[in-house]
Amino acid sequence: IQERQTNGLELLKNIILRTQSYYTMNNKFIFLCPGAYTIRKRMVSKNKRLGLFCYHIVPVAFLYMLSHVYSICSLVEFVMLVVAFYAQYEIGYIYNDTETIKKEKNPSKRLDSMEMNFYNKYRCQIYIVHFLTFICVLSGLSWISDEREFLLFSAISMIVEIVIFYVYNNVRGRISLLVFFFLELFKYIPFLNLFDTESAMQILIVTAMIYAIPNTIERLSFKRYGILFMQRLLPSEKSYLMFRIAFYLVVCLCMAMFKQFLIYIPLFLFLLVFRGMAFLKAKREK
């Protein structure tokens, strides 16, 4: 009997050790691999992941390729730029979900106790790995690309983005709406070629209309900001979908009136179709 108890304890011990090993490996992947934290902790549903792809990856790819000759090399450079972006951007996500929540009354808890323990134990290493990944990827890009000016601009834009994220994590009230607008806008700016002064403002306007402007307008209706007019105008998730459809439709119609904006219409038609399909899906589910 004693031998069986000993074997049972050994088995239980092995199970616990294996479970701990699994969680450690899983946490290393989530906290250290660029993009993993975004997908596993922020974009937790299929709809959110599809939204990330349609609202960020597709638009930045479209805008990036407008100023680059399509080739395998340019595609590799774009992918590396995306990796560098998420390596630094996830610093803001992680800080928000671990440090900022300590200051909030009703925080959104995205991490369980084991993940928080892992973060508290390896806090410095997590941030260092993300920063070093950011530096190494951009260094690799500078080695294979001749566009040093563009890469320097992208690097500076990404650093500005993480500074904005830090400010956003530490401000509350309506002023955070303005910070949020620039936080969303700078998700796209590192991928833009703004050195052509004649079209720089045009590109910025188009970029703001992809996500920063409509999303900021939607946030105006959040109860915590106390803007009653916007709460009545956009009272539900369904109204958000209808607003996006109307917004992108108006943008497409306005762009059709100006020759210099015609090149951007396919992107906004894509976003219009995406929101239209989301609306129809939500309607069917109800």
Side-chain angles (χ1 to χ4, degrees), residues 207-220:
T207 303
M209 288 190 293
I210 292 170
Y211 194 71
I213 290 176
N215 202 25
T216 303
I217 291 173
E218 288 174 4
R219 288 181 78 87
L220 290 171

Side-chain angles (χ1 to χ4, degrees), residues 161 265-266:
E161 171 78 331
I265 289 180

Side-chain angles (χ1 to χ4, degrees), residues 61-74:
F62 180 88
L63 295 170
Y64 180 84
M65 296 313 296
L66 283 180
S67 58
H68 293 78
V69 177
Y70 179 77
S71 65
I72 297 298
C73 185
S74 62

